[in-house]
Amino acid sequence: MRGDARELLRVHLRQRAELGETEVFLDALTASDVRDLAARTPVERRAEAPAHGVPGNDIVQIGSLDSLREVALGCPRCRLAESRQHVVFGEGNPQAEVVVVGEAPGADEDRTGRPFVGRAGKLLDLLLAAAGYARADVYLCNVLKCRPPGNRDPRPEEVEACSPYLLRQVELIRPRAILAFGTFPAQTLLGSKESIGRMRGRVHDYHGVPLVPTYHPAALLRNPAWTRSTWEDLQRLRTLTDPA
Ligand code: URA
């Protein structure tokens, strides 16, 4: 009903403007429709507005991971702020050689506020350990810091609102390499639209930091046949961080 009313209002105003009217009377709407429009809640106004809260340009200038976390924990920049239990900022070694980037928190991460603690996280731990990386040595984070309801895919406006945090995390940590688990981190960091199947298998460049894309552990749980390719990608990562 509210959506209908707004659309009516838009059409009405456009028609009046095309007729050259500078003043309008909202006679195509009922008084209660107009009141309804005027009475939108702050949450609705927030959802309609472009990303807000601390501007993205300011986020990418925050000077420390701790300050960045502080800002992220109160982030209102997209609608996921309304449904989250916790902001899952990221954790691990702030001087890590490897930043591991996933897609978005799931239910377990939303509940605990920690990245990669569910089923996919357990597999991620195993994969990293098999490649010689302890969880505590790397830095783990996601493109989105809040859980999309029902684990749906991140929406473009959510990625846009949230990615300044990720970009700043990478800048502050300055790792030797980035491991991108799945389509969203690889596409977000590389500004690409390619599928993970096409991006994986080679080392990419993210502003001078080598980036290795590979399949997401959740995808591996569904497609165990991709484990071999993932293993090859992890070996590729190893060559980047092993001393020469
Ligand atoms: N999947 C992700 O991409 N990130 C998490 O933190 C958990 C599951």
Side-chain angles (χ1 to χ4, degrees), residues 88 101-106 109 114-118 120-121 141-142 181 216 218:
V88 182
V101 188
E103 178 177 312
E109 291 77 19
R114 299 184 53 212
F116 284 108
V117 292
C141 58
N142 286 298
F181 271 124
H216 192 285

